Structures are given as structure tokens and as C-alpha cells.
Amino acid sequence: MSENKNKIWGGRFENNPSKILEDINSSIHFDKRLYKHDILASIAHTEMLQMQKIIETKDAKKIISGLKRIRKEIDNNEFVFNPSYEDIHMNIELRLKEIIGDAAGKMHTARSRNDQVVTDLKLWLKDIINDLDYKIKQLQETLISLAEINYAIPLPGYTHMQTAQAITLGHYFLAYVEMLGRDRGRFKDCLDRLNECPLGSAALAGTSYPIDRKLTSKKLGFKNPTFNSLDSVSDRDFVLEFLSIASICSVHLSRFAEEMILWSNQQFDFIKLNEKFTTGSSIMPQKRNPDSAELIRGKTGRIIGSLVGLLTVIKALPLAYSKDLQEDKEGLFDTVDTILLLISVSNEMIKEMEINAKNMEEALNKGFPTATDLADWLVGEIKIPFREAHSISGKIVKIAEKQNCLLSDLSIKQIQSIDERINKEVYNYLSIKSSIKLKRSFGGTSPSEVKKQIKLAKKRFLKI
């Protein structure tokens, strides 16, 4: 029989685990970032055990003092993480034993690593969601500021990537403010749902010790304890929900980045990205590549991949805990790092970009963006059904297309060749400026409405 060196669960085993098992089993290289929250939860648990007279006060004081010392060691990069101890929880506990002796073993009374890890992860994610909310709010603030500066600048609005109708640049920026606002709302909903404390659920069945889970929950800032111990230790819904929301948010950022890529292309030339957010070519000296925007677009894939990965891990897991659930962290940690980076890059990139308003307005000379206004005028003035007006408008567009001119450049005789009921008043509705100005419906693109929506956006999202 070999000497069993495993200090975690060695009593049942006669032989050491293989080195290759240690390689696949150890998570300390990534879950060490949970150390602050693990120590915080252990202190709260220890205080509860002492108050419930489950452990003695002298031992509780030793444990808490030792945990605070370990926190300082890790903060100061003086702590040696040992992969043979598997994870952050056992690394801390076994270091605690080195500091205070056997009293360290009492800390794990009435809990399991199963409820311990999910508690740590929830505590960590609560902090992350608050950080994310602040970062997204900053990006919204930048977009609202850009909308305020450019509230009346004409811009082609596209459907199917074809010129559809004239909009304002301010209206465009506010569209992304709305998307990000929904993202913030979803993250807050996620925070509210995960804000229940699993600690005290133990391995899966609860515990026979007279613990006070409500006390522990309160100490850790949760709104209440979880209600079912079996669900508590196997629940990763909150991670899936977070990854889902992060995927949606990253898709919003990716859509915006795609437009920045298109708009900075010479064929559009609507914007110019600052050199700080572009790169050159190793062979073509004239190139300025929008790498920052392309990477925002590209890194969205890895966030979506993390969501799909964890869904795949969990889809067939029986209750309660299985080691498969260790796979919840690497994708989550990577997603958090990535989404925070994407938000920051997006914010800085658009702060520094130049807007070519002249080219945006000139682009509206293609694609007949006031054709719908013509149809609307026919409905309002001649009192005909919209479908008939749509047909008439389309025929007039065909004449302009053949003449290679704007709708407003057609003579009244040319227009009346399609329908003699049309009079010269129609020209008041064929210009870009009148088209934009008339879109005064709530949430519309007219400059007057955009100004109102900017005020509302400040109130709704920035609390101004």
C-alpha cells in the first residue's frame, strides 16, 4: 500500500490518484479568481457556526483570523497554489490548517464543496453584473452624447442593406442605446434571480446540524436562502442565463461593429476610425484596417460558444452534483473578460471616430428614399388605399430610375403621366429634409422627436 498523500478525501482510498487524473481534475489554475468570495463565504459560514454553538468561539476566531491572513497572502502574491489540492476551496482550507492547525477542519462543518462552489460563483457573478451595468451605462452615455450632437444629420436607413428611407444619425445612435438598455435590464433580472444563497445545502440533502441559513444569507448580501437543497447544488441556470444575456449583448456590439466596418469602407466613407483603433497592412502601404471593430465582431463567437458549451454539458446531467459542472467556470470567466473588453473598446472607438455628415447626406441621392413619402401623400391627399398608392409610387420611381434622377427632379408632367390627380404640392414631400421632418410619431426619426427621445434616454438610462 502506498502512502496516501491526498489530504482531501484520502480516507477511503489506498492509492494516490494518477498524475493524469490530477491534470484533468484540478481547477485551481482558473478557479483561483474566486478566492475573495470563497474567503468571504467561509467567514460568514464560520460566524454562523459559532453563533449557533456548533463550533467553539475560540476556534471560530482562529479560523477567521487565519482566513484574513490568507486573503492578504493571495492579494500580495505570496500564496502558493497547489494543483494537487484540486481547487481554490481546498487550497485555502489546507493553508488554513498550516496556519492554525486542526481547528481549520471545523470550518467545513455543515457544508460541502458542492454548496460552497456555487455560493462562491454567485457572489462573484453578483459583483461582475454590477461592473457590467456600469460599463454598459458608460457606452450608452457616449451614444446619447453622439445622438445629441448629430440629432439632425440626414442618413440613409437601410433594409436588406438597400436604401429604404431617410433617417437622422441621432436616431441611429439611439437605436443602440435602446438595445443596450434591454441588455442592462436582462442582467439586472439575472442578478435578481441568482440572488439566493445556496450555502448550507451541503452535498445535496441539507444537514442535520442546527444551522441558520437565513443568517448566512443575510451576512453574504443575498435576499434569502435557496429553497431546495437538491436544486441548489446542481443549479447552473444563473450561469446559463448570464451567458445567454452576454451573447445577446455581444451580438448588439457586433452589429454595431459591422456597421462601423461598412461605414469606414471607401465605398461608404461615412466615418473615419481613429488611427489608434486601426492597423496597417504588411504589404499594402495604403491600408487602414478596422481591426478593433472586426475583433468586436469576431470575439462575439467565443461568447456564444461558451453558452452552447455549457448547455451541452448540462443537458443530460442527473441530479444532483457531477464533476461535469466544473466546466461552468472557464467559459464563464472567458465570457466576462471578453464582454468587458468589447464594451470598453466599443466605447473608446466611437468616441474617437470622425463623422462625414456630407457623405451621409449625399448617399441619400441614391435609392429613392422618399418613395414611401410619395405613397403616403397620395393616401392623404387623393384619399386612395395605400396599396394603390404604393403601385403609383412604384411607377413614378421607375420613370426616375430610367431618367437617372431624383424623384424631386421629375417634372410635374412626368409625374402626372402616371396619375393626373397629382399636383405640385407633392414636391413638398419629395425632399429628404421634409421626409425626415415629417416622421414625428413617437419614437420617430424627425429631429424634434429625436431631441425628445434624447431627454427621455437620459432620464431612463442615465438618471439625469
Side-chain angles (χ1 to χ4, degrees):
M1 182 187 302
S2 62
E3 180 187 352
N4 196 309
K5 297 181 180 179
N6 193 293
K7 300 179 181 180
I8 305 170
W9 35 257
R12 168 67 176 81
F13 292 78
E14 294 182 355
N15 295 308
N16 293 326
S18 71
K19 177 62 170 65
I20 199 165
L21 173 61
E22 183 178 292
D23 291 342
I24 194 172
N25 194 43
S26 176
S27 60
I28 187 60
H29 59 287
F30 57 83
D31 68 18
K32 61 187 177 183
R33 71 163 71 189
L34 297 176
Y35 78 92
K36 293 178 184 177
H37 301 89
D38 188 73
I39 290 172
L40 180 68
S42 290
I43 289 174
H45 183 68
T46 301
E47 289 174 341
M48 181 276 296
L49 292 176
Q50 184 267 320
M51 292 179 72
Q52 294 299 106
K53 302 188 185 306
I54 297 171
I55 64 173
E56 295 179 6
T57 300
K58 63 178 183 179
D59 290 327
K61 288 182 177 179
K62 286 182 181 178
I63 290 168
I64 293 169
S65 176
L67 287 171
K68 289 179 178 178
R69 175 177 166 180
I70 292 169
R71 165 69 188 269
K72 289 182 179 179
E73 288 178 355
I74 301 176
D75 285 344
N76 296 328
N77 295 316
E78 297 169 353
F79 189 95
V80 179
F81 294 101
N82 189 337
S84 68
Y85 297 160
E86 295 187 17
D87 55 34
I88 186 60
H89 323 296
M90 295 313 303
N91 266 266
I92 288 174
E93 183 174 328
L94 294 173
R95 173 60 181 146
L96 183 64
K97 185 175 181 180
E98 291 176 354
I99 295 171
I100 69 170
D102 289 341
K106 296 183 179 183
M107 177 178 65
H108 206 56
T109 307
R111 76 175 185 186
S112 162
R113 276 190 295 173
N114 294 355
D115 61 336
Q116 185 180 0
V117 63
V118 71
T119 301
D120 293 354
L121 199 55
K122 281 190 169 185
L123 287 169
W124 180 81
L125 201 51
K126 283 173 67 175
D127 286 345
I128 290 298
I129 290 174
N130 286 324
D131 289 344
L132 263 173
D133 182 72
Y134 177 72
K135 289 283 188 182
I136 297 173
K137 182 181 177 182
Q138 285 185 313
L139 179 53
Q140 284 182 300
E141 190 172 9
T142 298
L143 289 165
I144 291 170
S145 176
L146 286 168
E148 199 163 25
I149 296 167
N150 302 287
Y151 76 97
I153 289 179
L155 168 77
Y158 301 95
T159 59
H160 307 276
M161 270 312 293
Q162 306 295 310
T163 299
Q165 289 182 282
I167 62 172
T168 53
L169 185 55
H171 193 57
Y172 166 83
F173 286 129
L174 290 181
Y176 283 97
V177 172
E178 292 297 319
M179 293 183 214
L180 294 170
R182 293 193 295 274
D183 292 331
R184 288 178 67 191
R186 279 185 279 263
F187 279 124
K188 287 178 182 177
D189 288 344
C190 177
L191 179 59
D192 182 63
R193 264 184 292 279
L194 72 81
N195 199 19
E196 294 182 342
C197 183
L199 200 58
S201 297
L204 76 162
T207 179
S208 58
Y209 291 99
I211 62 173
D212 186 343
R213 291 192 63 212
K214 289 184 178 179
L215 175 61
T216 309
S217 176
K218 185 177 180 181
K219 282 180 174 292
L220 291 173
F222 289 99
K223 62 182 179 182
N224 52 256
T226 52
F227 292 90
N228 183 284
S229 60
L230 192 63
D231 172 60
S232 299
V233 298
S234 60
D235 168 36
R236 293 300 184 274
D237 288 4
F238 66 97
V239 181
L240 289 171
E241 185 174 5
F242 179 89
L243 292 174
S244 176
I245 299 164
S247 295
I248 295 170
C249 183
S250 69
V251 165
H252 290 154
L253 298 174
S254 181
R255 292 180 72 181
F256 184 79
E258 170 66 6
E259 286 167 335
M260 296 300 99
I261 293 165
L262 288 172
W263 289 9
S264 64
N265 180 279
Q266 292 90 338
Q267 277 66 47
F268 279 82
D269 198 18
F270 287 178
I271 63 165
K272 185 176 182 180
L273 295 176
N274 191 285
E275 285 186 357
K276 292 186 288 187
F277 296 93
T278 62
T279 64
S281 166
S282 63
I283 187 172
M284 296 169 283
Q286 84 282 9
K287 293 291 295 298
R288 279 187 55 182
N289 301 323
D291 283 16
S292 53
E294 289 174 349
L295 287 167
I296 292 168
R297 183 179 61 184
K299 287 181 181 294
T300 295
R302 68 193 292 160
I303 294 176
I304 296 169
S306 293
L307 170 61
V308 174
L310 187 58
L311 283 167
T312 307
V313 166
I314 293 176
K315 70 177 180 65
L317 286 186
L319 295 177
Y321 183 85
S322 298
K323 199 60 180 270
D324 311 51
L325 290 174
Q326 182 170 289
E327 293 299 308
D328 62 353
K329 294 176 194 64
E330 286 180 282
L332 175 62
F333 294 159
D334 183 74
T335 290
V336 167
D337 293 342
T338 302
I339 193 70
L340 285 169
L341 178 61
L342 298 190
I343 294 166
S344 296
V345 172
S346 298
N347 194 18
E348 295 304 313
M349 179 179 70
I350 63 175
K351 278 182 180 178
E352 301 281 352
M353 72 180 179
E354 296 178 20
I355 294 169
N356 192 335
K358 181 182 177 182
N359 283 359
M360 288 181 177
E361 188 167 2
E362 287 180 354
L364 285 163
N365 292 330
K366 299 176 182 178
F368 311 105
T370 59
T372 304
D373 300 276
L374 171 57
D376 288 339
W377 180 85
L378 290 168
V379 171
E381 185 68 21
I382 304 178
K383 309 300 181 186
I384 60 176
F386 182 79
R387 287 302 168 204
E388 183 182 349
H390 186 285
S391 177
I392 293 169
S393 182
K395 291 174 182 177
I396 294 171
V397 166
K398 197 167 185 178
I399 294 175
E401 195 170 37
K402 288 180 178 178
Q403 297 292 321
N404 193 26
C405 67
L406 305 178
L407 289 177
S408 57
D409 290 337
L410 291 173
S411 69
I412 190 63
K413 183 177 285 189
Q414 288 173 309
I415 294 173
Q416 287 176 336
S417 70
I418 301 300
D419 195 304
E420 61 184 15
R421 293 172 292 180
I422 301 173
N423 57 52
K424 290 185 178 180
E425 187 185 342
V426 73
Y427 289 104
N428 294 328
Y429 294 82
L430 295 182
S431 74
I432 298 300
K433 288 185 178 179
S434 65
S435 173
I436 292 173
K437 187 177 180 180
L438 288 168
K439 304 300 188 301
R440 292 189 293 264
S441 58
F442 184 84
T445 194
S446 72
S448 60
E449 183 58 27
V450 170
K451 289 173 78 172
K452 291 177 185 176
Q453 291 300 330
I454 288 169
K455 289 182 180 179
L456 286 174
K458 288 180 178 180
K459 185 177 180 180
R460 290 163 61 212
F461 301 121
L462 308 182
K463 307 301 181 186
I464 297 176

